[in-house]
Amino acid sequence: MKSYVDVKDGVVPSVCSLDCPDQCGLLIHKKSGKIVKIDGDPDHPVTQGNICNKVRNMGERIYDPKRVKTPLKRIGQKGEGKFAPISWEEAIRAITDHWKKLIAEDGPESILPYSFYGNMGLINAEGMDRRFFHRLGSSQLDRTICSVAGGKGYSYTMGGSFGTDPEEMTETKLFIIWGINAVSTNMHQMTIAQKARKNGAKIVVIDVHKNQTGRMADWFIPIIPGTDAALALGIMHILFNEQLVDRPFLETYTVGAKELEKHVKEYTPERVSEITGVPESDIYKLARMYGTTSPSMIRIGNGLQHHDNGGMIVRTIACLPALTGQWLVKGGGALKSNSGYLAHNTTALQRPDLMNGRPRTINMNQLGSALLEMEKPIRSLFVYNSNPAVVAPEANKVREGLAREDLFTIVHDLFITETAMYADIVLPATSAFENTDFYTSYWHHYIHLHEPVIAPYGESKSNTEVFRLLAEAMGFDEQAFKDSDEELISQALSGSDNPHLAGITYEELKKSRFMRARHTGNLVDRLKTPSGKIELFSKKMEEDGHPPLPVHVPLVKESDYPFLFVPAPNHNFLNSTFSNNEKHMKLEKAPKLFMNAADAERLGIEDGEVVRIWNDRGECELPVSIGDHVLPGVVVSQGLWSDAAGKKHLVNSLTPDRLADMGGGATFFSGRVNVEKTV
């Protein structure tokens, strides 16, 4: 069969590689072997041909003249960005010679990988790389920067990452979009909600910022950051008090309903209003709407979990559908993530058995502290699929660590990112369009195979290629490092105890390109909680040191600075991806800080002025947008903008590297700042 790379002129299938729930099917238009247009695939059952501007303009990124074409070696000071081309042979030799020396002097734990899901292809994100660093015996990375706190909290209630099927949501009559700017980060969720709205559905958005999603809602409810659990508990109070609960469902499918009913009596609407900033009348209105509308569905967003109490917030909201029996209604329930349906065989893919002993684990949210403060220092850092100089908390501390002259840093990326500016060796990376890989959505139920649609750019190589080369140079002769990309995919899809992957193989995917998870059926009949039921009271939480019933836990009072600061995503970037591309920057126009009009008047700040946002961790400067988009005492920025050319746009210089209540998650949205006019 002719490969898609060999198709010089025509249209070939693909899939979006971005860290986004939608995971869209794509059609790539080629001319003379190059991508000239990117469209959505109308045959995809969920995304149905609609794609966002980020992907539609991905060609601008793929063929950006700033792409790294060859391996580079630093010839200037760290941070200067001065490099000279070298060969792949020289680069691999320089890396492995240095590592062999470090291992002899300080042991393999002096080396740390740093990566996340800048590419959602699973063998390039968590395949040969994990095998390599397991075998090397390096320090291990706890990859917790995104969804771990909420995932843990949801699992305490529901037993895993399982929720409402998006394909059933056309039946939904009430959408509560809670803590997610879905227009920008889960666009097909809003497409489905709008279709349902034509049949009478209502869309309620609860968020700290009236963003694009909030502006499209039938009802937008602003809330003080980090108080969402209190609002959910207030809704429960009313549902029980007004007999709006489904008691047969509670009796059959839950544990702890009686304890919860007694517990939520203390969360009166009056008290909850004081905590959340939501008017008491709105709490009653929302609870009654939720208690009398069926099917109703709660889309639980990523933003909620980026707080000190993020795990408990998600755990608490996840209890709500059980109270009204929504899990038995088509289109009802909740959705935090559906990744459990397509969970692959990570043991076969990552091969933890290659590891000797138990090397230390370092939380990726605390990279700055790890680089600067560890008793046994990190002496080498290998960065791929991530840009920690921009995306990691306490960014000034991270950059101070990256600037260490004794830290040997390798960055494998498409561009000279802010992190690569500090690298000793830069390796050119392929884009996902140049790779073989497989993808699983964490929103819909489809798994995709991707085969390369264009040849590698310049001398770029995929993650799997690079780690095979490193393994060979380090003398690792196990078969695990010789497996092809196709073999990696086959191993990840075989030997799994996940019944939803039954019959889904590399060979079958090659025939059909995407396949649906099997036997998804009735969720509440097969929960993986200790009791096998929805756990409103969780003994496991109690054993793990958490309250067994859902509670509101106030945010850490880290300082007396007057504003809660939420650095939210924007519409045209995905974290720092696209922030260096002219097309996407023009689409987004400029960074902003959203501030309530009452706060601006008190501080003498006018709309459009550049303001200084600062705390003890750092500062940045952004133009201010004044209005009613946020509550008093809250400021929100959007997007991770590049701080090149002396611009003070590094919002993560302000964010704490504290860990959330569950799973070691990030607390990006629980920092406090001051705001003042620039002089």
Side-chain angles (χ1 to χ4, degrees), residues 91 272 351-352 364 378 673:
V272 168
R351 294 293 302 276
M364 70 185 306
I378 297 164
V673 298

Side-chain angles (χ1 to χ4, degrees), residues 57-227:
N57 294 291
M58 182 77 88
E60 300 272 345
R61 173 175 167 83
I62 301 304
Y63 298 115
D64 192 319
K66 297 191 294 293
R67 263 191 83 172
V68 180
K69 299 178 179 66
T70 182
L72 303 170
K73 181 178 181 179
R74 177 169 64 89
I75 56 174
Q77 296 297 310
K78 289 200 172 190
E80 279 189 316
K82 293 182 179 179
F83 299 96
I86 57 174
S87 69
W88 269 101
E89 291 77 12
E90 290 174 295
I92 295 296
R93 189 183 317 117
I95 294 166
T96 54
D97 284 353
H98 199 102
W99 280 355
K100 288 173 183 177
K101 182 172 181 289
L102 287 180
I103 290 169
E105 293 175 353
D106 297 313
E109 287 186 331
S110 62
I111 301 166
L112 176 69
Y114 194 97
S115 72
F116 202 62
Y117 289 89
N119 175 351
M120 288 296 288
L122 287 163
I123 67 167
N124 279 280
E126 52 176 80
M128 197 60 72
D129 59 315
R130 306 296 173 92
R131 296 182 179 195
F132 178 82
F133 287 112
H134 285 153
R135 173 66 173 79
L136 189 69
S138 69
S139 292
Q140 300 295 297
L141 187 71
D142 200 6
R143 293 171 172 85
T144 58
I145 203 165
C146 184
S147 61
V148 64
K152 186 77 172 175
Y154 189 90
S155 291
Y156 277 130
T157 303
M158 297 298 297
S161 295
F162 305 95
T164 309
D165 182 351
E167 290 186 273
E168 296 186 353
M169 291 180 193
T170 52
E171 307 286 332
T172 305
K173 293 302 180 187
L174 174 63
F175 291 86
I176 299 181
I177 312 294
W178 202 327
I180 175 173
N181 184 3
V183 170
S184 299
T185 65
N186 187 189
M187 64 171 282
H188 295 90
Q189 178 65 77
M190 289 306 293
T191 300
I192 291 169
Q194 287 176 297
K195 285 181 180 177
R197 181 155 60 183
K198 291 178 181 178
N199 294 321
K202 297 295 183 185
I203 302 173
V204 176
V205 173
I206 305 169
D207 213 323
V208 301
H209 176 214
K210 194 173 186 180
N211 46 42
Q212 289 196 59
T213 306
R215 295 195 293 274
M216 288 179 65
D218 296 297
W219 182 21
F220 173 71
I221 303 174
I223 189 170
I224 295 171
T227 66

Side-chain angles (χ1 to χ4, degrees), residues 309-329:
N309 55 8
M312 184 60 81
I313 287 175
V314 174
R315 182 275 195 277
T316 304
I317 295 171
C319 293
L320 282 168
L323 269 64
T324 58
Q326 287 302 306
W327 289 114
L328 296 182
V329 185

Side-chain angles (χ1 to χ4, degrees), residues 354-559:
L354 293 166
M355 190 187 306
N356 289 316
R358 298 184 65 180
R360 66 184 176 182
T361 297
I362 294 170
N363 189 297
M364 70 185 306
N365 295 307
Q366 298 179 323
L367 177 63
S369 298
L371 292 176
L372 296 175
E373 299 167 11
M374 297 199 77
E375 185 177 344
K376 293 182 179 180
I378 297 164
R379 298 286 305 281
S380 181
L381 187 68
F382 193 106
V383 180
Y384 56 106
N385 285 351
S386 187
N387 183 13
V390 174
V391 304
E394 289 243 31
N396 285 338
K397 191 185 284 188
V398 171
R399 293 186 181 199
E400 184 182 348
L402 291 171
R404 279 175 37 204
E405 279 299 326
D406 66 331
L407 179 71
F408 181 64
T409 300
I410 308 100
V411 173
H412 184 213
D413 209 307
L414 282 73
F415 297 95
I416 300 296
T417 62
E418 290 84 352
T419 304
M421 294 286 283
Y422 294 89
D424 297 280
I425 301 288
V426 178
L427 304 175
T430 50
S431 72
F433 291 134
E434 299 151 48
N435 296 340
T436 297
D437 219 320
F438 80 107
Y439 295 81
T440 58
S441 172
Y442 51 92
W443 178 63
H444 61 64
H445 289 176
Y446 289 84
I447 184 170
H448 301 75
L449 177 69
H450 185 267
E451 297 177 276
V453 298
I454 53 173
Y457 184 89
E459 297 179 27
S460 61
K461 295 185 184 295
S462 68
N463 289 342
T464 55
E465 290 180 277
V466 169
F467 286 107
R468 287 190 195 97
L469 291 173
L470 290 170
E472 182 181 13
M474 290 298 293
F476 300 166
D477 58 4
E478 292 90 343
Q479 177 59 41
F481 301 107
K482 300 171 185 175
D483 290 338
S484 68
D485 290 352
E486 292 78 10
E487 288 170 327
L488 289 173
I489 296 170
S490 291
Q491 291 160 14
L493 295 176
S494 63
S496 170
D497 61 357
N498 181 1
H500 308 298
L501 286 182
I504 298 178
T505 64
Y506 169 75
E507 290 75 19
E508 290 302 314
L509 279 170
K510 195 167 176 64
K511 295 176 187 175
S512 55
R513 293 191 290 116
F514 54 80
M515 298 175 71
R516 196 181 194 282
R518 312 302 197 192
H519 317 303
T520 53
N522 187 1
L523 172 61
V524 292
D525 286 335
R526 46 184 163 70
L527 296 178
K528 296 182 179 180
T529 57
S531 65
K533 298 184 177 185
I534 298 170
E535 299 208 341
L536 307 176
F537 180 101
S538 169
K539 186 69 176 174
K540 182 68 168 62
M541 291 188 74
E542 193 170 45
E543 292 169 357
D544 292 346
H546 303 294
L549 288 164
V551 295
H552 164 66
V553 181
L555 299 183
V556 172
K557 186 68 159 55
E558 62 172 24
S559 72

